[in-house]
């Protein structure tokens, strides 16, 4: 068994935050039914790159799901959706707040149909507050939530994180909220509405930076590859590239100084304690940087690791996905896809000893499971499904693509 076996999720979401959430639920055993509009999830067309004709972006976050094409802007489409909700456990959506109400399928409607339903709403700014109606995208949330202001090199323009951390992080909060609501439902018998936002994610992750601000009243500044509270704990340039080293306490500092051949720094009055090193980082870091230019990243990392000091190289994806440890952890998997062939994707990061997750199914083709879902979960006969398809309320996969 898998931990979420028997849980049925209706996924109205698209792009990244919602699909990442529902992929995680599906990996852990939930049955996820992806309800797509007639043109499909936007990301089906986001490329290049494409794997044959499938978007690499879409493939990355939609495995283990079933796809039904359903036009929710029609009365019959809404009726079908609500019949699906009656037998479901969770609905996930990431529309702008108020959209479900305009479609007449808001939380009040859903809980009337199924009091046990859990609705997870992902948005840019949340379901309440002055900004609730603003559109929210990852890059905007990184800026408004403070991440951009502390990312980048000192004295240089701010930059966003290298991937969509606000979207993915909010998807993770949605998973946590859903699992918490499922546990609560076991006690109360009732579902509930989960409200998570990209902005709240960014703010909640400020942690020690927010703590530093509350304590000092000073806005944190970008540190490049460094840490505001620990020195040295950062990126350094070597003779052939870059590496990170993390000297998290004073005993590690003594070992660090021995590795670099600078034992006199151990008890130096400016550097003896971490607080000393933080106060004098402007002198210490350039001095250390000159030393690190004398050897390669590999040589430094091996020397530090041998001494028990946390260190690691800065790898590219081409290096990560050939690393023996990454492969041993099954963080690279291959799934057979009907049109794209063997598709590589990242593995499941949560390792459960007795009820592990599983990657069973390829990301679905558009409308691939429309007929199956309408028959199995809504109780429609083939004649009725054909009627709905002719009226463009649903689209049925015919072995190559959905009907037009």
């Amino acid at each position: 068994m898998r931990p979420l076996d028997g849980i049925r999720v209706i996924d109205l979401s698209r792009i990244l935050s919602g699909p990442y959430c529902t992929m995680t639920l599906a990996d852990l055993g939930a049955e996820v039914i992806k309800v797509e509009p007639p043109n499909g999830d936007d990301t089906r067309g986001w490329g290049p790159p494409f794997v044959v004709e499938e978007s690499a972006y879409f493939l990355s976050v939609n495995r283990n799901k079933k796809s039904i094409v359903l036009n929710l802007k029609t009365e019959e489409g809404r009726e079908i959706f609500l019949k699906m909700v009656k037998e479901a456990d969770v609905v996930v959506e990431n529309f702008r707040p108020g959209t479900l109400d305009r479609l007449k399928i808001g939380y009040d409607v859903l809980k009337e149909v199924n009091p046990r339903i859990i609705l997870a709403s992902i948005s840019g700014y949340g379901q309440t507050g002055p900004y609730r109606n603003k559109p929210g995208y990852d890059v905007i949330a990184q800026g408004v939530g403070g991440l951009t202001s502390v990312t980048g090199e000192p004295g240089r323009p701010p930059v966003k994180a290298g991937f969509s951390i606000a979207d993915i992080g909010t998807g993770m909060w949605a998973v946590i909220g859903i699992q918490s609501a499922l546990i609560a439902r076991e006690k109360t018998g009732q579902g509930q509405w989960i409200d998570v936002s990209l902005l709240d994610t960014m703010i909640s992750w400020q942690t020690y930076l927010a703590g530093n601000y509350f304590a000092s009243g000073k806005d944190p500044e970008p540190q490049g590859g460094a840490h505001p509270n620990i020195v040295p704990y950062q990126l350094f340039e070597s003779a052939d590239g870059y590496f990170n080293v993390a000297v998290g306490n004073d005993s590690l500092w003594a070992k660090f100084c021995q590795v670099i051949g600078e034992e006199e720094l151990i008890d130096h009055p400016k550097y003896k304690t971490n607080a000393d090193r933080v106060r004098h980082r402007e002198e210490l870091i350039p001095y250390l940087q000159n030393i690190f230019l004398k050897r390669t990243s590999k040589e430094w990392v091996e020397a530090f690791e041998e001494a028990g000091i946390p260190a690691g190289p800065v790898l590219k994806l081409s290096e990560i996905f050939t690393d023996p440890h990454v492969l041993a952890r099954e963080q690279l998997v291959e799934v057979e896809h009907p049109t794209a062939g063997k598709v590589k994707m990242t593995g499941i990061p949560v390792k459960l000893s007795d009820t592990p997750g599983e990657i069973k199914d390829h990301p679905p083709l558009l409308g691939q499971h429309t007929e199956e879902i309408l028959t199995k979960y809504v109780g429609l006969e083939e004649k009725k499904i054909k009627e709905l398809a002719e009226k463009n309320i649903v689209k049925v996969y015919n072995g190559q693509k959905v009907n037009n």
Side-chain angles (χ1 to χ4, degrees), residues 93-113:
E93 61 94 9
N94 61 351
F95 297 114
R96 199 181 299 190
T99 300
L100 289 192
D101 287 330
R102 288 193 292 274
L103 291 172
K104 301 177 184 177
I105 53 172
Y107 179 60
D108 289 341
V109 175
L110 300 186
K111 72 176 180 179
E112 187 174 335
V113 171

Side-chain angles (χ1 to χ4, degrees), residues 10-26:
I10 300 177
D11 180 11
L12 298 178
S13 70
R14 67 272 186 255
I15 316 296
L16 182 56
S17 57
Y20 187 83
C21 163
T22 54
M23 180 182 73
T24 302
L25 298 173

Side-chain angles (χ1 to χ4, degrees), residues 35-149:
V35 178
E36 300 192 64
N39 293 326
D41 185 319
D42 297 2
T43 62
R44 286 187 182 273
W46 283 14
F50 293 94
V51 183
V52 188
E53 58 186 27
E54 305 295 332
S55 158
Y57 195 117
F58 178 85
L59 293 174
S60 73
V61 288
N62 284 290
R63 66 189 179 215
N64 283 340
K65 303 177 188 180
K66 297 176 179 178
S67 170
I68 175 174
V69 175
L70 182 62
N71 188 346
L72 293 174
K73 294 180 179 179
T74 66
E75 190 59 39
E76 286 181 280
R78 284 191 292 271
E79 289 175 4
I80 290 170
F81 171 72
L82 292 175
K83 286 180 181 178
M84 293 166 59
V85 168
K86 195 171 184 179
E87 303 300 326
D89 297 284
V90 180
V91 174
V92 178
E93 61 94 9
N94 61 351
F95 297 114
R96 199 181 299 190
T99 300
L100 289 192
D101 287 330
R102 288 193 292 274
L103 291 172
K104 301 177 184 177
I105 53 172
Y107 179 60
D108 289 341
V109 175
L110 300 186
K111 72 176 180 179
E112 187 174 335
V113 171
N114 179 357
R116 290 173 57 82
I117 200 69
I118 294 164
L119 172 63
S121 293
I122 301 169
S123 62
Y125 294 91
Q127 303 297 313
T128 59
Y131 300 160
R132 68 183 293 269
N133 290 319
K134 286 188 176 186
Y137 285 85
D138 178 89
V139 67
I140 308 300
Q142 288 193 36
V144 177
L147 178 61
T148 309
S149 72

Side-chain angles (χ1 to χ4, degrees), residues 102-368:
R102 288 193 292 274
L103 291 172
K104 301 177 184 177
I105 53 172
Y107 179 60
D108 289 341
V109 175
L110 300 186
K111 72 176 180 179
E112 187 174 335
V113 171
N114 179 357
R116 290 173 57 82
I117 200 69
I118 294 164
L119 172 63
S121 293
I122 301 169
S123 62
Y125 294 91
Q127 303 297 313
T128 59
Y131 300 160
R132 68 183 293 269
N133 290 319
K134 286 188 176 186
Y137 285 85
D138 178 89
V139 67
I140 308 300
Q142 288 193 36
V144 177
L147 178 61
T148 309
S149 72
V150 295
T151 305
E153 296 291 334
R156 301 288 301 278
V159 297
K160 77 175 188 67
F163 55 84
S164 301
I165 194 167
D167 273 335
I168 295 168
T170 307
M172 292 175 66
W173 281 125
V175 171
I176 294 169
I178 289 165
Q179 292 178 326
S180 300
L182 287 169
I183 293 171
R185 192 178 69 177
E186 291 299 308
K187 302 172 184 177
T188 67
Q190 299 293 310
Q192 57 185 299
W193 189 4
I194 299 162
D195 172 8
V196 293
S197 77
L198 276 63
L199 177 59
D200 291 349
T201 296
M202 291 291 88
I203 293 172
S204 71
W205 282 358
Q206 292 285 353
T207 57
Y208 60 84
L209 290 182
N212 291 348
Y213 165 72
F214 295 146
S216 69
K218 297 179 181 178
D219 284 317
E221 299 286 340
Q223 299 285 337
H227 193 289
N229 300 98
I230 312 171
V231 174
Y233 189 107
Q234 68 179 80
L235 184 79
F236 285 102
E237 185 176 3
S238 70
D240 67 344
Y242 295 88
F243 70 96
N244 283 297
V245 64
V247 180
N249 58 51
D250 294 335
S251 63
L252 286 176
W253 169 247
K255 294 178 181 179
F256 173 89
C257 293
Q258 290 167 353
V259 170
I260 65 173
E262 297 284 336
E263 288 85 350
E264 67 276 10
L265 295 180
I266 296 174
D267 293 317
H268 193 291
K270 287 186 177 181
Y271 311 132
K272 184 175 182 179
T273 70
N274 181 69
D276 295 328
R277 296 190 293 276
V278 170
R279 282 191 288 266
H280 297 98
R281 76 163 72 227
E282 300 301 327
E283 299 172 48
L284 177 60
I285 296 305
Y287 183 79
L288 296 177
Q289 179 58 83
N290 285 331
I291 294 171
F292 291 135
L293 290 172
K294 298 174 182 178
R295 299 171 69 182
T296 67
S297 293
K298 185 174 185 292
E299 289 171 328
W300 283 120
V301 169
E302 288 178 350
F304 285 129
E305 288 183 337
E306 188 176 342
I309 300 166
V314 177
L315 300 181
K316 298 177 181 178
L317 293 185
S318 56
E319 297 168 303
I320 291 169
F321 290 118
T322 55
D323 185 282
H325 182 80
V326 173
L327 299 179
R329 295 287 294 171
E330 298 181 329
Q331 285 306 108
L332 172 64
V333 296
E334 279 192 335
V335 176
E336 192 69 42
H337 190 280
T339 62
K342 286 190 181 297
V343 175
K344 291 181 178 180
M345 54 185 66
T346 57
I348 300 173
V350 180
K351 318 293 187 186
L352 284 78
S353 63
D354 295 335
T355 58
E358 182 183 3
I359 300 171
K360 297 198 308 180
D361 300 314
H362 62 79
L365 299 167
L366 180 60
Q368 181 179 344

